[in-house]
Amino acid sequence: MNTLQENIHGQLLNYLDPVVKEVLQVGKYILSSSGKYVRPSLLIYTANMFDVDIEKVVPLAVGLEYIHVASLLHDDVVDNAQMRRGKPSAHTIFGNQVCILTGDYMYAKALNLYSTYGNMESINVLSQAVMQMSQAQVLELKSLGDILPEETYYQIIDGKTGALIGAAMAIGAILGGRKDYMDFYKIGILAGRAFQMVDDALDYVGNEEKLGKPVGNDIKEGKCTYPLISVIDKLDKEMVKKSLLTGDVGDLIQTVINLGGVSNTFSKAKGYIEEVKSFLKEFKNSEDVVSLIELFINRDK
């Protein structure tokens, strides 16, 4: 962890402050494996473009990460995921009920932080993002095993990944007094789109140890993502659907790679990142935001 990440991690534990020890146990466990704190870092870096005092930013950055972590707790229960970033998922250790309720606590804690340290604009942006995220997760669940139109795929990833990244940038802009904060939300959606597309590409060609989950895990669960969508017209759709429904996807994965589905996805993601960078270049102190967003497409395979 760098200094900012260490500060965020410490404040995540500090603000959590539950009375019931089991909530703290689950919180510490999931927070210890929640990654590089992309969303709170992005909020802080965006606010820094407008010289906002970091003391005003940190509680809202923490609240945003609570939303993200709560969604991970809930998603792992819904998906019955066994691993999260190379560790057993929290629900396999603490049980489904405790993890769902801990996630609920984190949602409530985020609302508490925003009602205390934020304003109506920041609360509205965050709540809209959570609604978008929740609906996207339902849409993805209902779409398992289906061949998706490209627009449906974007609707899913813009909600489940893009919305909170958009919220991070919009809330940073709100703190900086920007009236055009929804422009930052929209550009964050594109950054999130690139982030998720790289994840979807790495599901085909990634390193299992670095991914923290088995390669091919998503497609085995029946998720139709951009690598497959980009080459679907070159494939027998009935055979593809059969593979998605049965989870027998070894041959399909290799075929998608051979047809250029993975390279198509990386290329598309890079294009979105270039749009984001073009938007940001007019703002001073945008280097940290740009550097963080460039990591979205340069993650280790």
Side-chain angles (χ1 to χ4, degrees), residues 71 75 107 127-143 152-161 163 185:
S71 74
D75 291 349
Y107 278 120
S127 61
Q128 289 289 338
V130 173
M131 287 189 288
Q132 187 178 355
M133 179 173 62
S134 301
Q135 291 181 91
Q137 296 285 10
V138 172
L139 181 57
E140 181 180 61
L141 187 63
K142 293 296 183 181
S143 301
T152 303
Y153 168 73
Y154 285 133
Q155 186 179 356
I156 290 171
I157 68 170
D158 288 354
K160 78 173 194 176
T161 303
Y185 188 90

Side-chain angles (χ1 to χ4, degrees), residues 6-290:
E6 289 175 354
N7 184 32
I8 292 168
H9 182 75
Q11 293 303 323
L12 283 164
L13 295 175
N14 179 52
Y15 280 110
L16 193 61
D17 193 31
V19 175
V20 178
K21 67 177 183 179
E22 285 80 6
V23 173
L24 183 60
Q25 289 172 343
V26 176
K28 283 184 174 180
Y29 184 83
I30 188 71
L31 289 170
S32 70
S33 59
S34 61
K36 298 179 180 178
Y37 301 127
V38 166
R39 293 152 191 84
S41 297
L42 190 56
L43 195 161
I44 291 168
Y45 289 152
T46 302
N48 188 55
M49 291 196 304
F50 310 110
D51 299 318
V52 181
D53 183 353
I54 194 170
E55 296 301 320
K56 297 179 180 179
V57 182
V58 169
L60 301 187
V62 166
L64 186 73
E65 185 68 4
Y66 285 154
I67 296 290
H68 174 58
V69 172
S71 74
L72 299 182
L73 285 170
H74 287 177
D75 291 349
D76 283 348
V77 172
V78 170
D79 296 339
N80 194 29
Q82 299 301 299
M83 300 294 291
R84 166 67 60 183
R85 296 193 178 276
K87 293 172 56 178
S89 296
H91 73 97
T92 67
I93 296 173
F94 302 99
N96 289 346
Q97 296 92 334
V98 170
C99 286
I100 289 172
L101 293 169
T102 298
D104 292 345
Y105 176 87
M106 288 186 171
Y107 278 120
K109 176 60 76 170
L111 178 61
N112 174 261
L113 288 173
Y114 271 73
S115 63
T116 303
Y117 298 100
N119 55 25
M120 287 306 299
E121 287 85 2
S122 63
I123 293 170
N124 183 57
V125 165
L126 186 67
S127 61
Q128 289 289 338
V130 173
M131 287 189 288
Q132 187 178 355
M133 179 173 62
S134 301
Q135 291 181 91
Q137 296 285 10
V138 172
L139 181 57
E140 181 180 61
L141 187 63
K142 293 296 183 181
S143 301
L144 293 178
D146 291 337
I147 297 173
L148 298 184
E150 191 169 333
E151 59 268 23
T152 303
Y153 168 73
Y154 285 133
Q155 186 179 356
I156 290 171
I157 68 170
D158 288 354
K160 78 173 194 176
T161 303
L164 280 187
I165 290 176
M169 296 191 70
I171 293 164
I174 288 168
L175 291 170
R178 301 285 303 197
K179 300 301 182 184
D180 58 348
Y181 58 86
M182 286 309 296
D183 290 343
F184 289 80
Y185 188 90
K186 291 173 185 175
I187 210 69
I189 289 282
L190 295 186
R193 186 178 285 188
F195 186 94
Q196 186 59 51
M197 291 179 83
V198 170
D199 262 11
D200 292 341
L202 294 179
D203 189 55
Y204 282 75
V205 297
N207 180 295
E208 186 169 317
E209 184 176 338
K210 292 178 180 178
L211 286 176
K213 63 179 181 179
V215 175
N217 189 66
D218 289 343
I219 191 170
K220 286 177 185 175
E221 291 178 354
K223 295 177 182 177
C224 177
T225 57
Y226 194 80
L228 175 57
I229 292 168
S230 72
V231 298
I232 193 63
D233 290 339
K234 301 176 183 178
L235 297 168
D236 182 328
K237 293 181 181 179
E238 289 303 315
M239 292 299 294
V240 169
K241 190 160 187 177
K242 182 179 178 182
S243 296
L244 291 174
L245 288 170
T246 62
D248 184 10
V249 294
D251 290 342
L252 178 60
I253 288 173
Q254 193 57 54
T255 300
V256 169
I257 294 170
N258 292 343
L259 289 173
V262 170
S263 59
N264 292 343
T265 306
F266 282 123
S267 177
K268 195 82 169 179
K270 288 178 182 178
Y272 288 127
I273 293 299
E274 290 305 313
E275 287 188 57
V276 176
K277 289 166 63 177
S278 178
F279 174 84
L280 290 170
K281 67 182 180 182
E282 68 179 90
F283 301 103
K284 68 174 185 177
N285 300 325
S286 62
E287 297 85 1
D288 287 334
V289 180
V290 171

